[in-house]
Amino acid sequence: MTEKIKVLLVDDQPLLRMGFRLILEGEDDVEIVAEASDGAEGVRLVEAHVPDVVLMDVRMPVMDGIEATRRITASGACSRIIILTTFDLDEYAFSGLRAGASAFLLKDVAPEELVHAVRVVASGDAVVAPRVTQRLLETYVRSQHGGPKPPSDPLLEDLTRRELEVLHAIAEGLSNAELAHKFFLSEATVKTHVRRILTKLHLRDRVQAVVYAYETGLVTPSQGLDF
């Protein structure tokens, strides 16, 4: 039997948590392990339950979702975080991605999209998804450019030429299958390259790799993010 995806719900609205619980618990491969009504409680429950995925609201009492995300990722927890927000181009959601979240979803997301996003983020092998995350990255990454180019990160020197090429392609939003086709490699080899890139740059996942590529100036908006 396949191990279930363990999910933690963190939102100060009980009705929203209930709705997400009903949707996700209807799936055979998903289990809700706990619920929290604020970010501080969410941080404690991540430590207690070690969920695979955390659905994290942004605006909550006691501790907001951005700070909770920052603390969870800084702790070294392997839980992946999906930011929940009301607006699709929310600067707070972008702050959540910078803090270490893997994606973000609108609170009125369709049930099938919610389930898909949880599975994709849990797999750790996703493109920059869901698509609304791409729009968010495009908007806020583009808005930050125009000043002096940031200094190159010394960690980039640890990447091989092929790994740099793969990182550029990840920043363009290519999937593993598309990367394999582009570089004439097997998908297994592509996964190895991606894993090595994330390890060398101390990144959690592909979304973090895209944010990193733009924030370090390795890639500029005119070169990629063709969403």
Side-chain angles (χ1 to χ4, degrees):
M1 182 177 176
T2 304
E3 193 169 338
K4 290 190 176 184
I5 300 169
K6 296 185 294 182
V7 177
L8 168 65
L9 303 178
V10 186
D11 196 292
D12 62 339
Q13 299 179 46
L15 285 177
L16 191 77
R17 296 200 309 269
M18 181 186 298
F20 282 173
R21 175 182 282 275
L22 289 173
I23 292 168
L24 293 171
E25 286 193 332
E27 303 298 319
D28 294 336
D29 60 340
V30 180
E31 174 188 5
I32 305 299
V33 295
E35 296 183 20
S37 58
D38 63 70
E41 186 182 9
V43 172
R44 292 193 296 271
L45 290 177
V46 165
E47 184 177 356
H49 295 277
V50 195
D52 300 302
V53 176
V54 180
L55 290 177
M56 179 77 73
D57 188 21
V58 173
R59 298 169 181 80
M60 294 180 291
V62 184
M63 181 187 294
D64 65 34
I66 307 303
E67 180 60 25
T69 296
R70 188 176 293 111
R71 294 194 185 192
I72 290 168
T73 55
S75 73
C78 59
S79 303
R80 299 181 183 277
I81 299 169
I82 299 176
I83 292 290
L84 297 171
T85 184
T86 306
F87 308 105
D88 64 351
L89 292 178
D90 189 334
E91 63 180 291
Y92 292 104
F94 181 64
S95 297
L97 294 183
R98 295 184 71 182
S102 296
F104 92 101
L105 286 174
L106 298 180
K107 288 189 174 183
D108 62 355
V109 62
E112 61 273 16
E113 291 180 18
L114 173 65
V115 173
H116 176 68
V118 167
R119 288 173 177 153
V120 161
V121 170
S123 74
D125 192 34
V127 187
V128 183
R131 188 168 183 81
V132 71
T133 307
Q134 297 175 330
R135 294 210 312 274
L136 182 81
L137 280 168
E138 179 187 45
T139 298
Y140 285 97
V141 169
R142 286 182 186 276
S143 70
Q144 291 183 12
H145 281 267
K149 184 176 180 179
S152 178
D153 186 348
L155 290 177
L156 288 172
E157 297 176 7
D158 294 333
L159 299 187
T160 65
R161 181 176 178 179
R162 176 45 57 88
E163 287 166 352
L164 278 171
E165 292 173 340
V166 171
L167 179 56
H168 271 272
I170 290 173
E172 293 171 5
L174 271 63
S175 67
N176 282 345
E178 291 166 334
L179 286 168
H181 178 76
K182 179 180 178 72
F183 297 116
F184 303 101
L185 301 170
S186 68
E187 285 197 46
T189 300
V190 166
K191 289 180 180 180
T192 298
H193 282 308
V194 173
R195 185 170 62 250
R196 287 175 178 168
I197 290 167
L198 297 180
T199 299
K200 289 181 178 180
L201 299 179
H202 310 303
L203 301 171
R204 288 169 62 84
D205 54 32
R206 296 172 71 117
V207 169
Q208 300 307 306
V210 174
V211 174
Y212 173 91
Y214 281 89
E215 290 193 328
T216 59
L218 179 67
V219 177
T220 60
S222 61
Q223 290 178 274
L225 285 181
D226 183 18
F227 303 144

